[in-house]
């Protein structure tokens, strides 16, 4: 992992991870990725990542492959790039902090030395945090967060999951 700091608090990073079996040369997994953060004028922040994995034909199946057909690396998918990309745009204001996130993970994407929660999906999330800073009677601030997200299959028209979340946090000094 290498991280390069840029002006205004922005940064760019690169990552390389490889797993290679000592017994079988075709049992391997390589992941290359880049990520970064761009801090714009004022309170705007854009973060993103892109990665690609290459998995050999002899790679052992993942846990997901054991429960579903077509999720292992073999035949037509061996040594072919499987991408993953994502971005988040957020406004870091004192009172309002909205965020929009999007990610796509190819069905054959594997990161044997890392963690991917779910592959073969498009994921979109919207968050709105409202945080009045009261500074009265030992109450420092109240945070109210509203979040909603959807997960679609590789075909974006196939909805797999949707959720909504609301939470409130009270911070005070003792």
């Amino acid at each position: 992992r290498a991280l390069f700091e840029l002006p205004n608090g922005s940064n760019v990073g690169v990552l390389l991870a490889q797993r290679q079996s000592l017994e079988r040369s075709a049992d391997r997994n390589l992941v290359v990725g880049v990520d970064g953060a761009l801090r714009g004028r004022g309170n705007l922040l854009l973060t993103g990542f892109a990665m690609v994995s290459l998995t050999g034909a002899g790679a052992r199946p993942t846990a997901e492959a054991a429960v579903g057909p077509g999720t292992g690396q073999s035949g037509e998918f061996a040594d072919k790039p499987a991408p993953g990309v994502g971005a988040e745009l957020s406004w870091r204001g004192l009172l309002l902090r909205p965020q929009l996130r999007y990610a796509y993970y190819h069905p054959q994407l594997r990161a044997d030395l890392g963690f991917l929660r779910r592959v073969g999906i498009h994921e979109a999330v919207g968050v709105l945090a409202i945080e009045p800073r009261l500074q009265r009677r030992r109450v420092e601030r109240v945070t109210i967060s509203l979040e909603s997200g959807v997960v679609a299959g590789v075909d974006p028209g196939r909805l797999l999951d949707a959720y909504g979340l609301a939470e409130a946090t009270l911070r005070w000094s003792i």
Side-chain angles (χ1 to χ4, degrees):
R1 168 95 170 133
L3 182 67
F4 305 97
E5 295 294 331
L6 302 172
N8 299 330
S10 299
N11 61 58
V12 175
V14 294
L15 174 76
L16 172 74
Q18 180 176 1
R19 182 198 54 78
Q20 174 66 59
S21 169
L22 297 175
E23 299 168 352
R24 299 184 337 224
S25 64
D27 183 1
R28 64 186 177 279
N29 176 248
L30 171 69
V31 178
V32 177
V34 297
D35 64 351
L38 177 62
R39 297 183 196 310
R41 293 184 191 187
N43 299 327
L44 192 62
L45 174 65
L46 174 63
T47 61
F49 71 90
M51 67 177 131
V52 64
S53 73
L54 294 168
T55 303
R60 300 178 197 275
T62 62
E64 298 92 32
V67 296
T71 55
Q73 292 300 112
S74 62
E76 65 181 289
F77 298 112
D79 292 316
K80 289 195 176 170
V85 296
E88 178 179 312
L89 182 63
S90 59
W91 177 264
R92 299 169 298 144
L94 290 177
L95 178 63
L96 295 175
R97 290 193 303 274
Q99 295 178 348
L100 291 175
R101 290 191 306 257
Y102 168 78
Y104 167 73
Y105 301 99
H106 188 275
Q108 300 301 322
L109 182 64
R110 280 182 60 170
D112 291 359
L113 297 178
F115 174 75
L116 295 172
R117 187 172 52 180
R118 195 170 181 182
V119 296
I121 62 164
H122 293 267
E123 182 176 31
V125 177
V127 179
L128 176 61
I130 305 164
E131 189 172 78
R133 297 169 190 273
L134 303 175
Q135 303 291 330
R136 292 189 191 121
R137 296 188 180 165
R138 295 188 173 191
V139 175
E140 293 179 14
R141 60 185 172 217
V142 175
T143 306
I144 300 166
S145 295
L146 306 170
E147 180 175 334
S148 180
V150 295
V151 177
V154 175
D155 169 16
R158 185 171 164 239
L159 184 64
L160 302 176
D161 195 7
Y163 72 92
L165 171 70
E167 67 181 20
T169 306
L170 176 64
R171 293 189 179 107
W172 70 91
S173 59
I174 297 176

